[in-house]
Amino acid sequence: MTKFIGTGVALITPFKEDLSIDYDALERLVVYNIENGTEYLVISGTTGESVTVTNEEKKALVAFIAKVNKNRLPLVLGIGGNNTANIINEIKSTDLSNIDAILSVSPYYSKPTQEGIYQHFKAIAEVSPKPIILYNVPGRTSSNILPETTLRLAKDFDNIIAVKEAGNNVHQYLELLRTKPEDFLVISGDDDLALGVALAGGAGVISVIGQALPKEFSEMIRLGIAGKAKEAYGLHFKLMPITGLIFSENNPAGIKSVLEALNISKSHVRLPLVEATDKLKSHIKEALRVLGKS
């Protein structure tokens, strides 16, 4: 699936002061990414505050982004959770005509065994009309999809095409890359490790910071995939400070503060999240100034 090689971005959901969705800001964000090198867009992931977006809002977000996108970039939609039956129902009842793949997070809170994780994704794969990207983020789910489980799923189901690996675990990345089927994609979900993964044979990244700095971040990943380490690390080192800052309090408060500083959207988040502190916002503005972005 070459359409998912390179830089995908996990879009925020911009909110107005009253916490309704800010569609004008969302349009600016989508167009900004389309025009500056992003390869694909991910809707309603963790960074999109999916757990506090209603089903009606989610449908409206998909329709709006598809309208703005005009088939220019592939679209990935987050459909996941810890109730397998509900996920199956959502897949069956969602209009996926504009969607190129589903991103499905490993069940959180329930902490299933590896066999439970396998059976969960097996049930999803058997009903999904679209390719599936597994999403492993142990820091949020409290369970880890082990490489052997990921690879078992990859070998057993043709429509499970990739994993977004976000465990910040270099050894696990390398084990997946060493043993994966040739056409299975290992996508970094860790912005700080994305270049190393690309250089080691990964397919790229689903990035948070990439939506704010799409030109620089996507070029870094393209250079990494091409094996041009020296040039790629030149960009990586420039982006390191801002990348670290956006995750220092919580995600997506950090990236929303970056996008506010860039005059793309406001920094409002829905509870239980809170906005970045004034101290972090100040550090973010300084990091952007150093990058020549303010």
Side-chain angles (χ1 to χ4, degrees), residues 248-264:
S248 63
E249 291 185 357
N250 66 49
N251 180 47
I255 185 61
K256 283 195 163 183
S257 293
V258 176
L259 291 167
E260 182 173 71
L262 294 173
N263 296 314
I264 293 173

Side-chain angles (χ1 to χ4, degrees), residues 46 104-112 114 117 121 134-147 150 163-170 172-173 176 187-190 193:
T46 306
S104 197
V105 69
S106 181
Y108 47 80
Y109 190 77
S110 302
K111 297 177 73 172
Q114 293 301 302
I117 292 170
F121 283 117
L134 309 176
Y135 181 15
N136 185 36
V137 56
R140 289 185 181 270
T141 64
S142 293
S143 67
N144 182 29
I145 310 178
L146 294 176
T150 298
V163 61
K164 177 188 176 185
E165 184 67 30
N168 216 259
N169 184 327
V170 173
Q172 186 151 306
Y173 275 116
L176 285 166
I187 300 169
S188 176
D190 299 301
L193 299 181

Side-chain angles (χ1 to χ4, degrees), residues 187-286:
I187 300 169
S188 176
D190 299 301
D191 282 351
D192 55 342
L193 299 181
L195 176 56
V197 174
L199 285 163
V205 64
I206 293 176
S207 175
V208 177
I209 191 60
Q211 68 195 294
L213 301 166
K215 188 173 292 184
E216 296 85 352
F217 204 89
S218 62
E219 178 62 14
M220 179 190 75
I221 295 299
R222 281 190 286 271
L223 288 167
I225 290 171
K228 297 179 179 179
K230 184 176 181 180
E231 299 96 318
Y233 270 111
L235 284 169
H236 176 79
F237 293 142
K238 289 179 182 177
L239 295 171
M240 274 181 67
I242 192 73
T243 301
L245 283 170
I246 66 166
F247 296 107
S248 63
E249 291 185 357
N250 66 49
N251 180 47
I255 185 61
K256 283 195 163 183
S257 293
V258 176
L259 291 167
E260 182 173 71
L262 294 173
N263 296 314
I264 293 173
S265 61
K266 297 298 184 181
S267 58
H268 308 302
V269 293
R270 288 178 174 173
L271 288 170
L273 299 180
V274 293
E275 287 190 34
T277 60
D278 289 342
K279 181 178 180 181
L280 178 56
K281 288 182 178 182
S282 177
H283 288 322
I284 283 170
K285 287 179 181 177
E286 174 60 17

Side-chain angles (χ1 to χ4, degrees), residues 11-195:
L11 294 169
I12 65 156
T13 301
F15 298 127
K16 299 177 183 178
E17 190 172 0
D18 65 1
L19 298 184
S20 62
I21 295 173
D22 187 340
Y23 286 102
D24 290 339
L26 183 58
E27 182 172 5
R28 285 193 295 273
L29 180 63
V30 169
V31 171
Y32 175 63
N33 275 270
I34 290 170
E35 292 179 348
N36 284 283
T38 295
E39 270 89 18
Y40 59 100
L41 305 173
V42 180
I43 306 166
S44 196
T46 306
T47 305
E49 296 177 68
S50 56
V51 294
T52 52
V53 169
T54 68
N55 290 336
E56 291 75 18
E57 286 174 328
K58 186 173 181 179
K59 290 177 182 177
L61 283 167
V62 171
F64 182 81
I65 291 169
K67 180 181 177 182
V68 173
N69 183 48
K70 298 176 183 175
N71 293 313
R72 287 177 284 183
L73 297 183
L75 300 180
V76 176
L77 178 61
I79 302 181
N82 61 347
N83 185 325
T84 310
N86 280 356
I87 296 167
I88 290 170
N89 289 336
E90 183 175 351
I91 289 171
K92 289 180 176 180
S93 62
T94 299
D95 178 5
L96 298 172
S97 57
N98 292 307
I99 300 300
D100 295 273
I102 290 168
L103 176 70
S104 197
V105 69
S106 181
Y108 47 80
Y109 190 77
S110 302
K111 297 177 73 172
T113 63
Q114 293 301 302
E115 183 62 26
I117 292 170
Y118 175 88
Q119 292 297 333
H120 170 82
F121 283 117
K122 175 179 183 287
I124 293 169
E126 287 175 342
V127 301
S128 176
K130 297 291 181 175
I132 297 164
I133 301 171
L134 309 176
Y135 181 15
N136 185 36
V137 56
R140 289 185 181 270
T141 64
S142 293
S143 67
N144 182 29
I145 310 178
L146 294 176
E148 50 264 37
T149 302
T150 298
L151 296 171
R152 182 183 171 199
L153 287 162
K155 291 171 183 174
D156 289 353
F157 301 98
D158 291 340
N159 61 340
I160 296 181
I161 62 164
V163 61
K164 177 188 176 185
E165 184 67 30
N168 216 259
N169 184 327
V170 173
H171 181 269
Q172 186 151 306
Y173 275 116
L174 295 176
E175 184 64 18
L176 285 166
L177 290 167
R178 183 181 73 86
T179 54
K180 73 178 185 69
E182 185 176 355
D183 59 350
F184 185 75
L185 307 179
V186 176
I187 300 169
S188 176
D190 299 301
D191 282 351
D192 55 342
L193 299 181
L195 176 56

